[in-house]
Amino acid sequence: MNPALRHALQIGFRSVLALCVAVALPLAHVEWGESYPGEGQKAFGMLLVFYLIGMCAAFVYFIIGTVAQILLRRRPPKASLILDIGLAMLLGLVLAYGGITAHYVG
């Protein structure tokens, strides 16, 4: 396979994983987390904040994954893919745990 195409496919796959990382926190909070004790408008604002935190984590994941791909370019593509999947799962699980255990204080 053409190396440029392989790298482009890996970046596309990393983008999909970054999207999954971005929605892990708000989705876990909506499904399994504590419900907001106040009105709905502020609850939506909190979900928006959770999504922004997830987007920042996804951006960091994407940058780290791209740097790792550059550093591992001489190794088989399998090593880079395993690193991408492992890092995405780790960040996704940490964010999901944060979403489930988030408590409202006020």
Side-chain angles (χ1 to χ4, degrees):
M1 178 182 286
N2 184 2
L5 177 63
R6 186 183 73 213
H7 288 298
L9 287 174
Q10 283 182 305
I11 289 173
F13 181 64
R14 188 174 304 116
S15 298
V16 170
L17 289 176
L19 181 64
C20 294
V21 167
V23 299
L25 180 63
L27 184 65
H29 184 71
V30 167
E31 292 295 321
W32 303 294
E34 178 181 317
S35 61
Y36 191 76
E39 61 184 78
Q41 185 77 19
K42 291 182 182 178
F44 180 73
M46 287 305 299
L47 285 179
L48 207 57
V49 169
F50 287 160
Y51 181 70
L52 289 174
I53 292 169
M55 286 295 293
C56 290
F59 180 73
V60 169
Y61 159 73
F62 190 83
I63 297 299
I64 290 173
T66 303
V67 169
Q69 180 179 348
I70 291 169
L71 294 176
L72 297 174
R73 69 180 173 262
R74 301 232 187 264
R75 297 192 183 249
K78 187 177 180 180
S80 182
L81 287 175
I82 289 172
L83 182 70
D84 277 340
I85 293 170
L87 187 58
M89 286 185 65
L90 177 69
L91 278 174
L93 289 173
V94 167
L95 290 173
Y97 178 76
I100 293 169
T101 59
H103 294 289
Y104 295 102
V105 178

